[in-house]
Amino acid sequence: MRRPLLFSVVAGFDRRDPFSVAGPVPDVIAALAQPVAGMRVVYSPTLGYARPNAEVLKLTDRAAETLGTLGCQVDLVEKVFDADPADLWTAEFYAGVGIRLRSFMEDQRELLDAAVADVLEPALIQDMRDYYAKVFSRYALRDTVRGFFERYDVLISPVLPVTSLEVSKNIPDELPDRNLVSWVYFTYPFNLSGQPAASVCAGVAADGMPVGLQIVGRSHSEHDVVRLAAAFERTQIPGYNVRNYPI
């Protein structure tokens, strides 16, 4: 309940923010109790390129099945993207962060986390032509996602490819070819496209760690994200029964 309340407070148009939306704020509090039967849900375990482990897949598969019992139309689609957009995220986001931290990178690098500094370095030295080629690739990615969501109300996927990793590590041992950014797999594509998204607990893995279920909506469709998230979370209540918690 706290997250929808916070959203209701911070959402809305602000002249100081050129990216704010000049329109009515979605009533996400009301969305908590809205029915989900008939919602068009696409479940993508990999988005076309990710490598989640078996424990994560078991719990997110079960979550997709649960949404089907709530009356959602759930389709399985493995391939959402033709290619991993990690390089677009690195170029777009870390170039901006790198500029803000450039003085530290050049004069006080030891004050930065080493893993972050390693990711910022190539983003800062990229050629201007290469950078703007990625900017236009990002526009194309947004259009691809827009077209995809013409067929669905929400997309669900894992949040992370693993259940957990040790505090001292930045990258899971089973993903040595990925970096600080790219091992996350599932979330940065929608940072690039600007889709509203939420994370709810899909269940608890054998190692005692929670596994996240990502719920992504169409642009400006926070209402759909919240109502599906709330409906799924109700199914995780011990003793849940649809007669007591109508959908």
Side-chain angles (χ1 to χ4, degrees), residues 110-125:
E110 71 279 0
L111 296 180
L112 299 175
D113 183 285
V116 172
D118 289 343
V119 174
L120 293 181
E121 191 165 20
L124 277 176
I125 62 174

Side-chain angles (χ1 to χ4, degrees), residues 203-220:
V204 179
D207 61 3
M209 300 302 293
V211 169
L213 178 72
Q214 177 174 233
I215 301 172
V216 184
R218 291 172 292 180
S219 179
H220 301 150

Side-chain angles (χ1 to χ4, degrees), residues 38-176:
M39 287 189 74
R40 300 169 300 168
V41 178
V42 57
Y43 171 44
S44 185
T46 68
L47 301 183
Y49 59 87
R51 303 197 307 269
N53 68 25
E55 187 78 4
V56 168
L57 284 177
K58 180 178 73 173
L59 290 172
T60 53
D61 286 352
R62 184 184 303 166
E65 293 172 1
T66 297
L67 291 176
T69 68
L70 298 182
C72 297
Q73 174 192 318
V74 182
D75 294 338
L76 175 66
V77 174
E78 284 286 350
K79 189 175 182 180
V80 176
F81 299 102
D82 291 331
D84 180 358
D87 60 332
L88 301 184
W89 179 239
T90 299
E92 185 76 12
F93 180 72
Y94 280 96
V97 174
I99 291 297
R100 294 288 293 179
L101 298 177
R102 185 171 183 174
S103 62
F104 290 96
M105 287 287 291
E106 293 176 347
D107 303 320
Q108 296 176 292
R109 187 177 175 128
E110 71 279 0
L111 296 180
L112 299 175
D113 183 285
V116 172
D118 289 343
V119 174
L120 293 181
E121 191 165 20
L124 277 176
I125 62 174
Q126 61 186 317
D127 178 80
M128 183 66 71
R129 289 168 297 185
D130 291 341
Y131 172 75
Y132 272 100
K134 289 184 173 64
V135 169
F136 285 106
S137 293
R138 179 179 180 179
Y139 296 158
L141 177 79
R142 284 178 174 174
D143 197 54
T144 296
V145 174
R146 179 199 55 76
F148 183 84
F149 273 87
E150 289 180 353
R151 304 189 298 276
Y152 300 103
D153 298 311
V154 295
L155 175 147
I156 62 171
S157 75
V159 173
L160 296 175
V162 297
T163 61
S164 62
L165 68 163
E166 295 179 18
V167 173
S168 60
K169 295 183 178 179
N170 292 307
I171 302 169
D173 290 338
E174 56 265 55
L175 300 172

Side-chain angles (χ1 to χ4, degrees), residues 158-237:
V159 173
L160 296 175
V162 297
T163 61
S164 62
L165 68 163
E166 295 179 18
V167 173
S168 60
K169 295 183 178 179
N170 292 307
I171 302 169
D173 290 338
E174 56 265 55
L175 300 172
D177 58 320
R178 310 298 285 187
N179 65 27
L180 184 67
V181 179
S182 63
W183 80 265
V184 180
Y185 282 132
F186 296 98
T187 54
Y188 54 75
F190 305 108
N191 289 120
L192 287 166
S193 66
Q195 311 298 116
S199 174
V200 295
C201 181
V204 179
D207 61 3
M209 300 302 293
V211 169
L213 178 72
Q214 177 174 233
I215 301 172
V216 184
R218 291 172 292 180
S219 179
H220 301 150
S221 293
E222 289 84 357
H223 180 279
D224 287 338
V225 172
V226 171
R227 68 175 171 139
L228 192 70
F232 179 77
E233 285 193 325
R234 285 195 290 272
T235 69
Q236 305 305 294
I237 298 172

